[in-house]
């Protein structure tokens, strides 16, 4: 089976690495154009591109796949490359570009997407963030037959995992990336035998995982403690949950929900290892913080640098 691949970040790299290790023939990789990154803001290849180049796999990096869009030359070049590759299937994982109908229809077996949720829950761009933020007990990976809709295609394989009380987007991401890599290999092996079954998604329970905006990281202390604690985990590593102290931003990376009540944003405990802030209901114990330009530190280390926090208010 000839497997073309479309993906960009680490989540996609895990799947590409799994396909390569399973000895599928990979004639072509599509990935996003190089982006500026790091202190020098030099152009940097995506993890998927770096792997493909290391293993001698052809790479194309169109800015768009729409033949009638802003970059028709990019789309035409990508179409020519895909047609020349003659893939039986296109595997898509966190690619970042919409696939027009000509892409969906080109491979003999269509396009299979590795989606990090239990569809139809959390269709869209940020399923891991939103599952943790909402307090879901479980999430998982759905291997989906792509169609023209937004994550609306038939389900081919589904497997779930638990979301633990200390899980963050970073930890769940890594678990789902590994699971997705295993499931896509399994799906293609079944498809090669012609026995891959398609199950339409339910019309009930549909939710949308909208892209995370950087502004969402600002902590609203009037919310319940459980909501704030989940958002802190959901926004680790991006965009990071933040609050203000003396006009400066402080990121909160770890916290525990508690039951102490008081004025939202007020520091009610500030000694030893205990740094607690009251919320709309309950309180959160801050465990790991980071000032702008500084390193992540424990509550004890933070309090050593700020011994006068008791009774003060965080946020605006």
């Amino acid at each position: 089976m000839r497997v073309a691949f479309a993906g960009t970040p680490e989540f996609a790299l895990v799947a590409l690495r799994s396909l390569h290790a399973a000895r599928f023939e990979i004639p072509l990789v599509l990935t996003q154009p190089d982006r500026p990154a790091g202190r020098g803001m030099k152009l940097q290849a995506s993890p998927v591109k770096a792997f493909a180049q290391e293993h001698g796999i052809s790479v194309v990096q169109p800015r768009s796949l729409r033949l009638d869009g802003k970059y028709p030359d990019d789309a035409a070049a990508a179409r020519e490359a895909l047609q020349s590759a003659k893939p039986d299937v296109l595997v898509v994982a966190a690619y970042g570009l919409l696939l027009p109908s000509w892409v969906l229809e080109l491979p003999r077996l269509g396009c299979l997407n590795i989606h990090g949720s239990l569809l139809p829950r959390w269709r869209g761009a940020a399923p891991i963030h939103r599952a943790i933020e909402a307090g879901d007990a479980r999430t998982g990976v759905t291997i989906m037959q792509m169609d023209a809709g937004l994550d609306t295609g038939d389900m081919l394989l589904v497997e779930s995992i638990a979301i633990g009380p200390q899980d963050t987007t970073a930890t769940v991401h890594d678990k789902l990336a590994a699971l997705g890599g295993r499931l896509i290999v399994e799906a293609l092996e079944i498809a090669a035998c012609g026995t891959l079954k398609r199950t339409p998604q339910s019309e009930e329970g549909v939710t949308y995982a909208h892209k995370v905006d950087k502004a969402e990281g600002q902590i609203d202390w009037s919310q319940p403690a459980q909501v704030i604690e989940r958002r802190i985990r959901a926004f680790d590593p991006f965009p990071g949950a933040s609050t203000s102290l003396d006009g400066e931003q402080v990121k909160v990376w770890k916290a525990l929900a508690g039951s102490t009540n008081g004025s939202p944003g007020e520091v009610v405990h500030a000694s030893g290892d205990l740094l607690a802030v009251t919320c709309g209901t309950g309180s959160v114990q801050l465990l790991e913080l980071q000032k702008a330009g500084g390193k992540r530190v424990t509550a004890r280390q933070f309090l050593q640098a700020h011994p006068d926090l008791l009774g003060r208010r965080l946020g605006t």
Side-chain angles (χ1 to χ4, degrees), residues 15 19 91 112 114 143 179-189:
L19 292 169
V91 171
L112 305 189
I114 306 171
I143 305 298
L179 177 57
R182 176 170 63 79
L183 284 186
I184 192 60
V185 169
E186 182 179 339
L188 293 180
E189 289 174 344

Side-chain angles (χ1 to χ4, degrees), residues 30-262:
L30 286 80
T31 191
Q32 287 270 354
D34 296 357
R35 306 291 190 197
R39 289 187 176 181
M41 296 301 287
K42 294 182 180 180
L43 289 178
Q44 184 171 316
S46 72
V48 163
K49 178 182 178 181
F51 181 91
Q53 290 181 322
E54 181 182 346
H55 292 85
I57 304 171
S58 296
V59 178
V60 292
Q61 297 176 270
R63 290 166 290 181
S64 170
L65 292 170
R66 289 178 56 88
L67 295 169
D68 58 349
K70 187 177 180 180
Y71 304 105
D73 291 343
D74 283 30
R79 182 170 66 172
E80 182 178 351
L82 270 172
Q83 289 173 335
S84 298
K86 298 179 180 178
D88 294 298
V89 65
L90 174 65
V91 171
V92 183
Y95 177 35
L97 290 182
L98 294 176
L99 303 190
S101 59
W102 72 261
V103 179
L104 298 174
E105 297 167 1
L106 190 150
R108 176 175 62 88
L109 298 176
C111 302
L112 305 189
N113 179 240
I114 306 171
H115 187 75
S117 83
L118 302 174
L119 292 171
R121 186 161 177 80
W122 303 127
R123 296 173 178 173
I128 301 175
H129 299 79
R130 301 308 182 190
I132 295 174
E133 183 184 18
D136 289 4
R138 303 191 69 81
T139 186
V141 166
T142 303
I143 305 298
M144 178 191 69
Q145 186 80 45
M146 297 182 71
D147 60 16
L150 176 61
D151 299 330
T152 56
D154 291 347
M155 299 181 295
L156 305 175
L157 289 179
V158 182
E159 190 167 323
S160 71
I161 64 168
I163 299 177
Q166 296 182 348
D167 267 326
T168 65
T169 288
T171 61
V172 174
H173 168 280
D174 292 350
K175 295 175 187 178
L176 294 187
L179 177 57
R182 176 170 63 79
L183 284 186
I184 192 60
V185 169
E186 182 179 339
L188 293 180
E189 289 174 344
I190 297 172
C193 300
T195 57
L196 193 59
K197 296 181 180 179
R198 298 169 59 153
T199 303
Q201 292 186 39
S202 171
E203 295 298 324
E204 298 180 359
V206 175
T207 56
Y208 288 92
H210 299 289
K211 184 178 180 180
V212 175
D213 188 275
K214 191 174 182 179
E216 292 183 72
Q218 200 65 214
I219 296 174
D220 178 1
W221 294 108
S222 67
Q223 292 184 322
Q226 291 82 0
V227 171
I228 293 174
E229 187 273 337
R230 291 199 304 261
R231 287 170 69 89
I232 290 169
R233 291 189 290 114
F235 297 154
D236 178 359
F238 177 84
S242 301
T243 190
S244 59
L245 173 64
D246 295 332
E248 296 184 358
Q249 288 294 298
V250 177
K251 288 197 172 182
V252 180
W253 293 110
K254 290 184 181 179
L256 291 175
S259 57
T260 304
N261 290 311

